[in-house]
Amino acid sequence: MNFTLYGFREHWIAVDCGMMIRQDLPNTPLQVPNIDTLTTLDIVPDALFITHGHEDHIGAVAWLWPHWQCPIYATPLAAGLLRLKFSEHGLKHDAIKVVEPGEALTSGPFTLRYLALTHSIPESCALVMHAGDYRVLHTGDWKLDTEPLIGKPVDAGQFRALAPVDLVVGDSTNAPMPGHSGSEGDVARALAKTLATCKGRVVVSCFASNVARIVAIARAAQRCGRRISLMGRSMERMVTVARGLGYLDELPPLVPAHDLGYLPPEEVVIIATGSQGEPRAALQRLAQGRHPFVDLEPGDSIIFSAKAIPGNERPIERLKKRFIQLGIALFDEFNHPELHATGHPAHDELCTLYRWVKPKHLLPVHGEARHQQAHQAIAESLGIEAPLAPINGDMLLFDSHGLKCEARYPQPPCIVNQNSVTPHPGLETPSHSSRRGSLYLALPVTASDTGWWRIGSLMLDNAGASPLDEDSFSDWLDEQLDDIHADTLAELRQALQPRLIAWLAEHMQHLPEVHLQIMAAEMPESL
């Protein structure tokens, strides 16, 4: 859910405006950034710059842009996806301006240039910004892929020419990962090798935005004499936009899903959405035997060419169990890790980029606290100052003295409900102050084989409520998480809430209003 604001001399610009899916709430609604702080501080961005077309970078634009009505700058693929979203919302897309990688433009005191980087979607770009005497590199999402399949490898000379930069605002997602992130070319060869061994019908599930992966699957299918079909709205949308830009010219004619039943199973490859266990995705319908045109049979194969996003482990595991019960062969990140490559830089790639651009300071963003801390350690080993690991809502000052946190603004979650943005259920502003006080609990958890684990520190605010023994409360919470059997975060929340209220009623003099938020978190590698 990326959304960053940069201000200089009372002029503000925004970079990216994404959404996330709330797995812990019924019907898995969309969550978008809360812009109340902008209203409070009287901040209106004069322009919105998009680094690439992933949903966590563009998914909230159609919901929030109407508040600003500013120009939106995006590379062709991201611009095409945004136009589709605007059309669906009944918005004119005159504000969407196409920027080619390498192009420079200005907004008030800011001069910006888009610099191409490889990622798991075409046209991902970093932004180098000049404002006053400062030069800032906002990396966006990236990796150093020597064989990206679509587009060219990163131009090292272009980044060396920037050195030295004053500040890098950099991707921390894979900072704890040693070595290199891997190449799409390697994945393509692994897919071709695996597909050649499959006998029946084959379904490959990947993220719809990974156009290079779609190309790799198509090439592998052609070598095996198989024809391709697409399943899933987001997959069809991405292919339509990418084809219009010439990225999928080599894609053979597609077989409509309703014609798949006429083809022998060994002549079919289906590229489907749903690798994260989404309840309404194509893969889920296939697993439940509810797809109108295809029934999978023993001897067919499913290839998961995607990594599980933290918080989705349980629904993915349940999805895989259904396929196993059907006698379907499974290939995934555990038994065939070569079938997927991450889109974010590992340790060696971070070091390489920083040797190119020679930053004086680093602000580690993206990922969780442990990823940011690993990123800080890399910076410090290279002599780069990295004093802060920011959290959502931080107002940061960067000047000749370096980085510091000026203020921290709370960011209550906002979700999309019935086609409008509303506060997270249970976190609406009360119409009057409760005499009993309120208890806000944010609980980061991860799934294990036996239950749920609490990750990191308990985030608890019992303002106005009677005192609470936090150590006893934490021990009790851990026992409940170990005891509760729930497949999803929504089920976990439903089971934990009444137990939580009962415990508080027994241990507190006055029962406060209880607001519970459960969040997916990654388990530290040391565990």
Side-chain angles (χ1 to χ4, degrees), residues 286-302:
L286 289 169
Q288 295 174 353
R290 293 189 293 106
H291 197 279
F293 305 120
V294 177
D295 287 319
L296 297 182
E297 300 173 349
D300 292 343
S301 300
I302 302 285

Side-chain angles (χ1 to χ4, degrees), residues 319-399:
L319 177 67
K320 290 177 180 178
K321 284 180 180 178
R322 290 198 185 101
F323 285 129
I324 291 171
Q325 290 169 354
L326 292 173
I328 309 298
L330 286 181
F331 301 82
D332 62 16
E333 62 182 292
F334 302 107
N335 58 19
H336 286 273
E338 72 277 8
L339 293 173
H340 176 63
T342 177
H344 301 271
H347 178 280
D348 291 358
E349 291 154 281
L350 290 166
C351 292
T352 298
L353 180 67
Y354 297 158
R355 290 189 183 108
W356 290 347
V357 301
K358 300 185 181 346
K360 300 174 185 176
H361 302 83
L362 169 76
L363 187 69
V365 295
H366 307 336
E368 299 166 11
R370 72 181 185 92
H371 304 94
Q372 292 173 294
Q373 290 161 8
H375 202 175
Q376 284 176 295
I378 292 171
E380 289 163 7
S381 73
L382 297 171
I384 303 166
E385 292 188 34
L388 300 178
I391 62 173
N392 291 334
D394 279 1
M395 174 73 81
L396 309 170
L397 174 67
F398 180 63
D399 60 16

Side-chain angles (χ1 to χ4, degrees), residues 51-66:
T51 61
H52 65 282
H54 274 149
E55 286 296 304
D56 61 331
H57 291 255
I58 67 170
V61 175
W63 301 105
L64 302 185
W65 172 83

